[in-house]
Amino acid sequence: MAEPGNDSTKPHIDEVTGTPTKGHEWDGIVELDTPLPRWWLWTFYACIAFAIGYVIAYPAIPMLNSASKGLLGWSSRGDLTAEMGREQARMAPVVQAIASADIEKLAGQPKLMRAAIEGGRAAFRVNCVQCHGSGAAGAKGYPNLNDDDWLWGGDLKTIEKTLTDGIRNPDHDATRMSLMPAFGKDQLLAAPAVDDVVAYVRTISRQQPADAASRRGATVFADNCAVCHGAQGKGNRDLGAPNLTDGIWLYGGDTDAIHQTVWNSRRGVMPRWGDKLSPATIRMLAVYVHSLGGGEASPALAPVIAATKEEANVRP
Amino acid sequence: MSGPDLLTVGRYAKRQPVYPKAIDGTFRRLKWAIMAVTLAIYWVTPWLRWDRGPYAPDQAVLIDLAHRRFYMFAIEIWPQEFYYVAGLLIMAGIGLFLVTSAVGRAWCGYACPQTVWTDLYQHVERFIDGDRNAQMRLNKAPWGMAKLAKRMVKWSIWLAIAFATGGAWIFYFADAPTLSHDFWTGQAAYVAYATVAVLTATTFVLGGFMREQVCIYMCPWPRIQSAMLDEKSLVVTYRHWRGEPRGSLKAAATTPTGFGDCIDCNQCVAVCPTGVDIRQGPQIGCITCGLCIDACDRVMAKTGKPRGLIDYLTEDDATAEKAGGQPKSVLRSLLHVRTVVYFTLWCAIGAAMLFALGARDRIGIDVQQDRNPLYVQLSDGAVRNAFTVKLRNMQSRPRRMEVALSGLPGAKMWSEDLTRAAGSTSVSFTVPADSVLRARLFVASTAPAAHRQDFSFTVRALDKEGGTAHESVHFEGPQP
Ligand code: SF4
Ligand code: SF4
């Protein structure tokens, strides 16, 4: 309780501490107004001075269209550009090495190989995912690059060539070109013959048992299709003719889909990236695609394993 | 009315300079000893060596931020084992609670770096400027050559100490001899120099100029401690019932019965490093360093009175004594429920951590399944899944490890540098010393029984020491 004559609800000097009070009182408890240390005040002023300097030196004050530029001319975009530049400079020798290496022997240099895979992964996300999907699993008409089935071949050199020159680019001489005739639409085969050959293809891919139709289809196949797809229907990579006996179908393996393929033909196109991307990027893309699990063994693989193991023992 | 009034007390208080007088006595010697030990620990630790073989650093205590490892003698901690560090911090916390509930702010008085370095700086100050009175005189004296020279010498020594302090810090984070060489030859990382510069500056300012201001205004610990003290904690107490009314020897000589033991010599205030008058009762400025006890004991010895007019005393004891009773023995006042509970807790956590450290696995496996695509249809009708496997070798030597499949009959596995033809049910790797090997594994199953099937990867060390770890995953196939 406040002493009589000493109104604790007015600021006064607290007797015990000799410190002024705020003049607030709750149930006899009064709030001290302890003086701040002077150095604290100076620190506060120093912070204000710093803030003023900062506002002058760096972009800070919002204007109509942008913020004030600041005397130092700093910007986060500028920072990013500088950082990207540094990163590119850092990567340049690696990219250079990848570009000038023999792609078949790249596997013998695990460090380069890994850089190439990562570089390829990045380039894939920008250029390839639109058709092949972010996981490179493809879609109907766009090959799955993870599997072990390749139309034109799955070793590094072949993939690189496919990337560089594209597929079915009529305005480009080096492109991979093959055209399956539209057997039905162009009346090369009569409708029943098309049905028969479809039945035959379903049979050799073990999707349905042999029957009269498929047996008739065998003859049609031998006369019309075997030229490209081979007598056994196993395909021909020189022509990009798919293997018809395996479990992988670019456009679907059911009767309807195969029928459509035979009737209308399919002529998927892949752009030639040689025009748009640097050789090093294409090479990295090839290495990345090759690494997805379906890449076909090339003779240079053995040293990779040895070198990887060796390298793994060195602590960076 | 005497004392300050509202008009003379400003909104801001100027620091009252403190010129602690030199003193000798029990607690001063204890402080010397603790200062020597703590400073020695701080400066020597990074230079201790500990042989861990060719694959790990040989620094006994090392916080290797770059490689994310923490070494402490025989113990090596990985980031995923950070709970040991958390445990250590909890132990440190409970340890402080224990100390506080038993002996009050002993941490502040003896072991806190702010106290230790301030103490060191004050010794330097006394060495250059002389004791309390000389310091006061010098401070009031106008600036002249002599004063300037003294200041320069003092500040240079302070700066040297500050530099040594900041300099030692960085050695905890890199190999000390190498870093020391790089540091002096200008090849160390920019951050090393920056750290040293910052810590040199803070040491210089906090130890030389801020001193007790840090404790009173900046440090949260006194506030926490005031809440943790209870009537059973030892605090530095002035036995006012024995000392009051105070009076000078002269006054006491004229009226022998009118005065208590305190002769009002102000020695306790003169020696106090924070400028506190303990006779006003317990207060936040008092770091319980015990120097005033030393000072007062000497005075009591001279006046032929028993020691301990100022003493470590619990509040309970003080109450008992005032009422004419006996204070408990020091041991009894240390042993009460709270200290016992804290101590038990502290020991339990320590024992649990030691046990966990002894029993922890030094091998591990983490498996992450490729989600995009979830599975790949292969041309012969088989289905392939891909996994990224991380093998953890937490020993400081390379180890041969074998990863095996189980629970997926007929499946084959191969690593990305092999081909399916070379697949089998296990693959071996050499995992480099003290690191994680990341490998991509392909698993193909000719006839997955269901579109989702559980199986597991087991990693096994192929050396004498052995050890296994496993992780369960799924094998995904096409929806039927
Ligand atoms: S108050 Fe804080 S800074 Fe001061 S001695 Fe105690 S713990 Fe250290
Ligand atoms: S009052 Fe005594 S115990 Fe407290 S800080 Fe001062 S000298 Fe140390």
Side-chain angles (χ1 to χ4, degrees):
Chain A
M1 274 296 289
E3 299 284 314
N6 184 0
D7 187 359
S8 60
T9 61
K10 290 237 172 62
H12 64 276
I13 297 289
D14 176 65
E15 265 177 47
V16 181
T17 55
T19 310
T21 66
K22 286 299 258 183
H24 305 149
E25 194 238 273
W26 297 270
D27 259 357
I29 300 173
V30 292
E31 187 188 353
L32 292 182
D33 188 9
T34 310
L36 276 170
R38 190 142 312 265
W39 56 260
W40 185 93
L41 186 68
W42 286 111
T43 315
F44 181 56
Y45 288 155
C47 290
I48 293 175
F50 175 84
I52 293 172
Y54 190 86
V55 162
I56 295 170
Y58 285 91
I61 306 161
M63 306 291 205
L64 274 187
N65 297 317
S66 67
S68 56
K69 290 271 177 291
L71 281 186
L72 293 186
W74 180 91
S75 76
S76 52
R77 252 165 217 283
D79 246 17
L80 176 70
T81 318
E83 207 166 303
M84 297 280 281
R86 273 199 300 278
E87 191 57 21
Q88 253 153 29
R90 194 180 66 83
M91 290 295 294
V94 179
V95 173
Q96 181 57 41
I98 291 172
S100 55
D102 176 350
I103 189 162
E104 307 260 51
K105 301 221 175 86
L106 204 55
Q109 294 157 278
K111 274 229 170 88
L112 267 195
M113 185 79 173
R114 231 167 294 143
I117 291 179
E118 291 314 316
R121 194 192 307 279
F124 192 88
R125 288 206 182 116
V126 178
N127 301 293
C128 314
V129 293
Q130 292 84 341
C131 295
H132 290 285
S134 59
K140 186 177 169 188
Y142 303 103
N144 184 342
L145 305 175
N146 293 278
D147 64 25
D148 57 350
D149 188 34
W150 299 91
L151 290 171
W152 300 89
D155 60 294
L156 283 166
K157 261 217 151 87
T158 313
I159 299 175
E160 190 181 28
K161 158 99 178 129
T162 304
L163 273 157
T164 311
D165 295 318
I167 290 172
R168 296 187 192 93
N169 290 189
D171 54 339
H172 182 62
D173 284 343
T175 196
R176 297 207 188 275
M177 201 69 177
S178 71
L179 296 176
M180 167 156 161
F183 285 100
K185 200 168 79 185
D186 294 347
Q187 292 170 2
L188 301 172
L189 287 175
V194 171
D195 289 343
D196 290 348
V197 83
V198 168
Y200 177 70
V201 169
R202 298 263 305 161
T203 308
I204 58 173
S205 56
R206 294 187 302 278
Q207 299 191 82
Q208 70 183 40
D211 57 9
S214 76
R215 270 186 286 275
R216 285 194 303 275
T219 330
V220 182
F221 189 88
D223 293 346
N224 297 280
C225 317
V227 189
C228 296
H229 290 285
Q232 255 88 52
K234 296 240 184 249
N236 182 348
R237 286 183 172 181
D238 293 336
L239 303 170
N243 183 346
L244 303 175
T245 63
D246 66 14
I248 293 175
W249 297 91
L250 186 50
Y251 294 91
D254 54 301
T255 308
D256 269 2
I258 299 178
H259 188 274
Q260 266 211 35
T261 305
V262 178
W263 193 271
N264 292 324
S265 168
R266 314 264 191 185
R267 288 167 190 178
V269 172
M270 158 146 157
R272 53 176 189 279
W273 293 98
D275 287 0
K276 303 186 185 74
L277 301 178
S278 70
T281 310
I282 289 181
R283 179 152 295 181
M284 292 194 278
L285 276 171
V287 173
Y288 169 67
V289 167
H290 186 267
S291 79
L292 289 173
E296 289 180 349
S298 68
L301 266 178
V304 182
I305 299 159
T308 314
K309 302 230 161 109
E310 216 166 88
E311 191 194 46
N313 290 334
V314 199
R315 201 184 141 105
Chain B
M1 195 178 151
S2 67
D5 61 56
L6 273 181
L7 292 175
T8 56
V9 177
R11 312 212 43 82
Y12 300 100
K14 207 165 160 266
R15 174 178 181 237
Q16 297 303 321
V18 181
Y19 310 94
K21 191 167 167 306
I23 183 72
D24 188 26
T26 321
F27 296 105
R28 178 65 260 179
R29 293 201 182 137
L30 185 59
K31 260 172 92 74
W32 279 123
I34 292 175
M35 182 201 278
V37 171
T38 47
L39 288 181
I41 291 176
Y42 178 65
W43 271 308
V44 171
T45 304
W47 298 90
L48 299 178
R49 302 288 103 185
W50 189 269
D51 186 21
R52 294 191 185 85
Y55 298 102
D58 66 346
Q59 185 155 322
V61 176
L62 178 67
I63 302 162
D64 191 346
L65 292 178
H67 299 105
R68 287 160 186 75
R69 297 283 183 276
F70 173 47
Y71 300 94
M72 192 159 171
F73 298 96
I75 302 171
E76 178 188 341
I77 288 180
W78 284 43
Q80 49 267 74
E81 298 176 298
F82 204 73
Y83 41 77
Y84 288 115
V85 177
L88 265 185
L89 289 177
I90 293 174
M91 279 180 77
I94 295 180
L96 274 176
F97 296 169
L98 172 65
V99 168
T100 304
S101 79
V103 289
R105 289 177 67 182
W107 164 261
C108 293
Y110 298 89
C112 173
Q114 175 64 22
T115 297
V116 170
W117 263 269
T118 301
D119 207 14
L120 188 61
Y121 272 45
Q122 283 170 346
H123 287 304
V124 172
E125 191 159 51
R126 275 195 287 266
F127 182 70
I128 305 296
D129 294 351
D131 210 351
R132 178 176 164 88
N133 295 334
Q135 284 179 25
M136 285 168 136
R137 264 198 313 278
L138 187 65
N139 219 24
K140 288 217 193 71
W143 282 93
M145 276 323 281
K147 183 169 174 176
L148 191 69
K150 280 199 164 163
R151 284 286 184 268
M152 283 304 154
V153 174
K154 182 172 83 177
W155 289 342
S156 316
I157 299 179
W158 279 359
L159 217 64
I161 296 174
F163 178 70
T165 306
W169 180 257
I170 56 173
F171 294 140
Y172 284 85
F173 298 88
D175 182 58
T178 318
L179 180 56
S180 160
H181 173 266
D182 288 354
F183 188 88
W184 291 110
T185 50
Q187 303 165 45
Y190 144 79
V191 54
Y193 294 102
T195 309
V196 173
V198 167
L199 290 180
T200 303
T202 50
T203 311
F204 183 69
V205 172
L206 297 187
F209 304 97
M210 298 296 287
R211 297 187 174 174
E212 81 290 343
Q213 301 278 302
V214 174
C215 305
I216 294 172
Y217 293 106
M218 295 160 73
C219 180
W221 193 229
R223 321 276 147 175
I224 298 171
Q225 289 200 321
S226 336
M228 302 223 28
L229 295 172
D230 61 14
E231 46 305 322
K232 292 190 172 58
S233 321
L234 282 174
V235 286
V236 174
T237 308
Y238 166 63
R239 292 188 157 99
H240 58 87
W241 57 94
R242 181 183 140 190
E244 297 295 311
R246 58 185 88 149
S248 65
L249 277 178
K250 228 182 263 163
T254 54
T255 344
T257 51
F259 293 95
D261 285 355
C262 177
I263 60 167
D264 209 7
C265 62
N266 251 5
Q267 286 303 301
C268 54
V269 183
V271 298
C272 178
T274 67
V276 156
D277 182 354
I278 195 63
R279 292 171 302 172
Q280 288 171 1
Q283 50 208 287
I284 202 128
C286 172
I287 57 171
T288 72
C289 62
L291 294 186
C292 53
I293 304 180
D294 281 346
C296 192
D297 281 355
R298 300 189 121 215
V299 175
M300 290 299 110
K302 276 196 203 121
T303 59
K305 298 276 162 53
R307 69 159 292 278
L309 178 56
I310 303 174
D311 206 355
Y312 278 108
L313 211 62
T314 69
E315 210 188 306
D316 275 352
D317 286 345
T319 325
E321 242 190 73
K322 257 183 280 179
Q326 275 293 312
K328 282 193 227 152
S329 74
V330 174
L331 198 66
R332 282 291 311 282
S333 35
L334 289 186
L335 268 178
H336 54 262
V337 180
R338 269 179 68 197
T339 50
V340 172
V341 168
Y342 285 143
F343 187 68
T344 321
L345 215 63
W346 191 81
C347 291
I349 297 177
M353 292 226 310
L354 277 182
F355 176 76
L357 267 177
R360 66 186 175 159
D361 272 331
R362 303 277 77 192
I363 178 173
I365 184 169
D366 283 315
V367 184
Q368 205 182 12
Q369 181 166 17
D370 271 18
R371 297 258 141 214
N372 184 14
L374 210 45
Y375 63 86
V376 174
Q377 182 80 57
L378 297 181
S379 50
D380 65 354
V383 172
R384 191 188 75 206
N385 281 202
F387 300 87
T388 303
V389 173
K390 287 183 185 169
L391 301 180
R392 237 179 2 259
N393 173 15
M394 301 167 91
Q395 303 278 34
S396 334
R397 61 184 147 86
R399 295 185 83 183
R400 198 87 192 129
M401 294 186 189
E402 181 196 71
V403 181
L405 275 183
S406 59
L408 206 61
K412 274 181 107 230
M413 152 168 98
W414 65 98
S415 64
E416 73 182 326
D417 44 14
L418 296 174
T419 57
R420 189 174 167 203
S424 71
T425 53
S426 67
V427 191
S428 333
F429 300 93
T430 301
V431 186
D434 195 37
S435 47
V436 176
L437 181 120
R438 169 201 269 272
R440 227 159 149 252
L441 292 180
F442 295 111
V443 177
S445 173
T446 23
H451 79 98
R452 168 179 264 220
Q453 204 174 333
D454 292 332
F455 75 105
S456 61
F457 284 106
T458 307
V459 62
R460 188 163 62 88
L462 294 177
D463 49 19
K464 270 210 286 327
E465 191 189 325
T468 59
H470 79 278
E471 181 154 326
S472 304
V473 278
H474 309 296
F475 189 87
E476 307 274 354
Q479 211 92 25

